[in-house]
Amino acid sequence: MKTLLVQESQKISGTINISGSKNASLAIIASAIIIEHPVKISNVPNILDVKNLLLILKHIGFKFHFSKNELLIYPLDKVQSYLIPRHLTSRLRASNLIISPLISKYGKIKISQDSGGCNIGARPIDLHIYAIRKLGYHITLSDQNYLSIYKNTKLFPQKIHLKKISVGATQNAILATVYIKGTTIIKNIAIEPEIIDLISFLCKLGFKIYLNKKSRTITVRGITREHIKAQKHTIVHQVIPDRIEAATFIISTAINGDKITLNNINHCHLQNILIPLTKSQIIRYTKLSKDSVQISKTEFQFQPSMTISTKPYPAFPSDVQPQIMVLMCYLNGTSKITENVFEQRFQHVYELQKMGANIRIKNKKAIIYGKKTLTPTKIQCSNLRSAAAMLLAGISSKSANKLYTIIENADHITRGYENITEKLRKCSIHIQVLQEKYPSTVIQDNQYLIK
Ligand SMILES: CC(=O)N[C@H]1[C@@H](OP(=O)(O)OP(=O)(O)OC[C@H]2O[C@@H](n3ccc(=O)[nH]c3=O)[C@H](O)[C@@H]2O)O[C@H](CO)[C@@H](O)[C@@H]1O
Ligand SMILES: C=C(OP(=O)(O)O)C(=O)O
């Protein structure tokens, strides 16, 4: 596991090009299993999750070319393997997203249920299975935790009501229905921008999917493979910008200032971050163009605190909760977070406490007593967004001797942030990457100095 050494910075400033969305890319790449013609997907981030998903596609038999954020995928004549082993699924959560494309087009899959991704709660897939089973697929679970799904009868359209809003279940439910003749209705769906991007990609392929955001309903009119084959051209699709990466840089500016310009962003997708931060008078933002924004830090003159409750989009995203908690440590008042999406997503709290944060947790609520200065020490990352929070904490930390914050298990960050160290250096942040744990010199309890 890599270790990052981050030194406190007076301010963060510069211009950053935000990468393509991790979660949109993963869903779109998985759905490409269904293609009948080559597809060109641009703005794909060069991150570990994408590379690991491509390994699964390669295992199935796909040929593709990935270079300079452009991914060209060719349709598959013959599946090489319907068995997706644990060593491939355990690398990323989105390995689950290949289930429906594979069964829709090729009728079967056997896949390990040990999927990876952030270790932030139980993360069952009962809702995915409910939707797939309701459509008529046959499903069994083996002793070794492998899920076998196959089509052994004609499938009929259904009304599917997902009892909880789930991004992954919505994606799998859509993809399981696209070839079922008739009209399938899926209710209580997730409406994250990444879902809309997936639908937009599938519609370009020729599928008939209609979304009603207000009623959280998707209507799929099933079509035949011949219909898709008849669309004779290479499909080109540009993945939406990563709103979580953009939010991470916005929050870093809110903590350290002074001014940052973000290019390749979608203003609409960032409203759930920008509105609470501007309402609390923590940042100012100026729209520079349709896809760029300037963020500047205010002087906290109104003693702000914040109250955040994570919920499915368009509410505040769970994927930004660890990062905003770092900001809350510095606010003048007492802030509150309710984490409603993942039951174990407070693992970063212990690490922030090691740096001096005053945070109390009770069930799914965190109370953050602000006006604390975080001090450098050795901290651990437990998942992707906790790693982002640790970076923000390290950048903002202060000590008399200009110590480095030592961030261990930092590989998590490479799952979802493209070129993060280069981007931070561009914003005047001092950061070093070590391949191994740092044999550091202790100069005070729990504090380490670079020789
Ligand atoms: C690769 C990807 O796109 N990951 C995102 C996706 O994860 P993912 O798709 O796994 O998240 P879900 O939206 O499915 O999960 C939301 C909640 O529903 C629960 N649940 C989900 C499915 C199910 O069958 N049963 C069930 O109980 C989960 O445990 C969780 O408590 O959406 C999350 C919520 O926005 C984000 O944090 C992740 O970054
Ligand atoms: C939870 C996340 O990712 P994953 O679903 O891939 O684990 C995330 O991106 O914050």
Side-chain angles (χ1 to χ4, degrees):
M1 276 282 186
K2 277 192 198 122
T3 299
L4 293 178
L5 304 177
V6 186
Q7 202 171 34
E8 65 175 79
S9 299
Q10 291 310 316
K11 59 180 185 186
I12 173 165
S13 66
T15 299
I16 295 296
N17 292 328
I18 295 300
S19 298
S21 158
K22 157 187 166 279
N23 289 347
S25 300
L26 295 172
I28 289 169
I29 295 168
S31 78
I33 287 176
I34 223 160
I35 58 176
E36 299 289 351
H37 300 290
V39 292
K40 196 190 277 181
I41 310 167
S42 63
N43 205 28
V44 177
N46 192 353
I47 52 174
L48 200 59
D49 264 19
V50 164
K51 291 180 206 159
N52 281 330
L53 182 59
L54 289 174
L55 282 183
I56 299 183
L57 259 64
K58 192 170 171 206
H59 172 84
I60 295 170
F62 278 90
K63 298 246 182 311
F64 50 81
H65 181 73
F66 184 33
S67 165
K68 296 191 179 143
N69 301 112
E70 202 166 87
L71 176 64
L72 188 60
I73 310 184
Y74 300 94
L76 181 64
D77 290 335
K78 193 171 178 302
V79 173
Q80 263 170 28
S81 176
Y82 290 96
L83 173 70
I84 318 297
R86 184 181 182 282
H87 75 89
L88 291 177
T89 60
S90 60
R91 297 170 189 222
L92 76 163
R93 171 71 183 170
S95 54
N96 278 318
L97 299 181
I98 66 161
I99 293 176
S100 288
L102 209 58
I103 56 175
S104 257
K105 186 164 173 193
Y106 299 101
K108 62 177 176 179
I109 189 170
K110 184 168 181 181
I111 182 168
S112 163
Q113 272 316 277
D114 297 317
S115 63
C118 292
N119 184 9
I120 46 183
R123 310 192 74 176
I125 61 156
D126 54 311
L127 300 169
H128 306 226
I129 293 176
Y130 163 77
I132 292 168
R133 183 170 275 138
K134 184 144 194 206
L135 291 165
Y137 288 94
H138 186 272
I139 306 182
T140 54
L141 187 63
S142 76
D143 294 345
Q144 286 85 29
N145 208 20
Y146 273 77
L147 196 63
S148 293
I149 308 181
Y150 59 93
K151 195 175 355 182
N152 63 350
T153 169
K154 189 168 162 36
L155 306 175
F156 293 99
Q158 300 289 337
K159 283 201 173 74
I160 296 170
H161 183 99
L162 299 171
K163 71 173 191 293
K164 186 172 180 181
I165 296 174
S166 155
V167 171
T170 301
Q171 290 161 338
N172 259 330
I174 297 169
L175 283 154
T177 58
V178 287
Y179 278 136
I180 299 177
K181 199 175 168 204
T183 301
T184 295
I185 293 170
I186 313 166
K187 287 195 167 282
N188 202 31
I189 54 145
I191 52 168
E192 267 64 3
E194 295 75 25
I195 302 259
I196 318 279
D197 205 28
L198 170 67
I199 294 175
S200 132
F201 173 70
L202 292 173
C203 289
K204 283 183 191 167
L205 296 182
F207 292 102
K208 306 277 180 224
I209 302 164
Y210 308 91
L211 168 74
N212 186 331
K213 275 199 216 171
K214 226 170 160 192
S215 65
R216 287 192 178 270
T217 304
I218 281 172
T219 304
V220 182
R221 296 205 202 290
I223 49 169
T224 59
R225 270 183 78 179
E226 284 58 47
H227 174 91
I228 298 298
K229 279 184 183 159
Q231 321 269 315
K232 283 250 185 260
H233 54 277
T234 301
I235 301 295
V236 179
H237 184 80
Q238 182 173 346
V239 172
I240 55 169
D242 198 307
R243 63 194 170 100
I244 309 299
E245 186 200 6
T248 305
F249 278 103
I250 292 170
I251 293 169
S252 188
T253 314
I255 302 170
N256 279 60
D258 90 82
K259 212 185 262 175
I260 201 167
T261 299
L262 301 179
N263 295 328
N264 187 31
I265 56 111
N266 181 310
H267 292 277
C268 282
H269 300 168
L270 289 172
Q271 291 307 302
N272 52 8
I273 308 295
L274 293 171
I275 290 175
L277 286 173
T278 42
K279 258 194 184 162
S280 312
Q281 311 207 0
I282 295 167
I283 59 158
R284 268 185 229 102
Y285 80 94
T286 315
K287 196 171 170 176
L288 299 178
S289 71
K290 79 171 198 342
D291 59 4
S292 79
V293 68
Q294 188 178 69
I295 307 290
S296 48
K297 181 185 169 180
T298 63
E299 289 312 317
F300 290 175
Q301 64 241 39
F302 293 105
Q303 312 278 321
S305 63
M306 297 182 83
T307 298
I308 293 290
S309 202
T310 68
K311 284 194 193 118
Y313 191 86
F316 193 89
S318 172
D319 293 356
V320 183
Q321 178 262 106
Q323 299 91 310
I324 202 135
M325 189 183 277
V326 180
L327 167 66
M328 288 171 168
C329 294
Y330 287 97
L331 299 182
N332 286 328
T334 299
S335 299
K336 292 187 187 125
I337 293 181
T338 309
E339 172 54 62
N340 292 302
V341 183
F342 291 107
E343 67 278 10
Q344 285 168 30
R345 207 168 202 175
F346 281 142
Q347 292 163 33
H348 45 282
V349 169
Y350 176 64
E351 306 303 321
L352 294 176
Q353 284 167 339
K354 282 203 256 172
M355 297 180 80
N358 187 355
I359 303 170
R360 236 184 281 151
I361 302 287
K362 197 167 179 214
N363 302 322
K364 56 184 190 174
K365 289 191 195 302
I367 301 179
I368 300 97
Y369 301 94
K371 231 177 170 175
K372 286 280 161 200
T373 302
L374 301 181
T375 48
T377 187
K378 190 182 250 188
I379 46 178
Q380 305 284 329
C381 308
S382 48
N383 59 63
L384 170 59
R385 306 303 169 187
S386 90
M390 293 306 104
L391 265 178
L392 301 196
I395 293 167
S396 62
S397 65
K398 301 270 175 297
S399 67
N401 306 336
K402 281 231 158 207
L403 298 176
Y404 278 73
T405 296
I406 302 175
I407 307 178
E408 289 190 337
N409 295 340
D411 280 359
H412 287 287
I413 200 115
T414 56
R415 273 194 49 225
Y417 288 85
E418 186 178 46
N419 298 334
I420 184 73
T421 46
E422 289 79 358
K423 286 182 181 179
L424 286 171
R425 282 188 195 120
K426 261 188 86 185
C427 297
S428 322
I429 306 298
H430 300 285
I431 186 164
Q432 296 181 44
V433 184
L434 303 181
Q435 295 309 318
E436 301 298 334
K437 288 192 189 293
Y438 182 62
S440 49
T441 308
V442 180
I443 57 156
Q444 271 176 23
D445 275 356
N446 235 0
Q447 292 188 327
Y448 302 80
L449 176 70
I450 298 297
K451 277 188 179 166

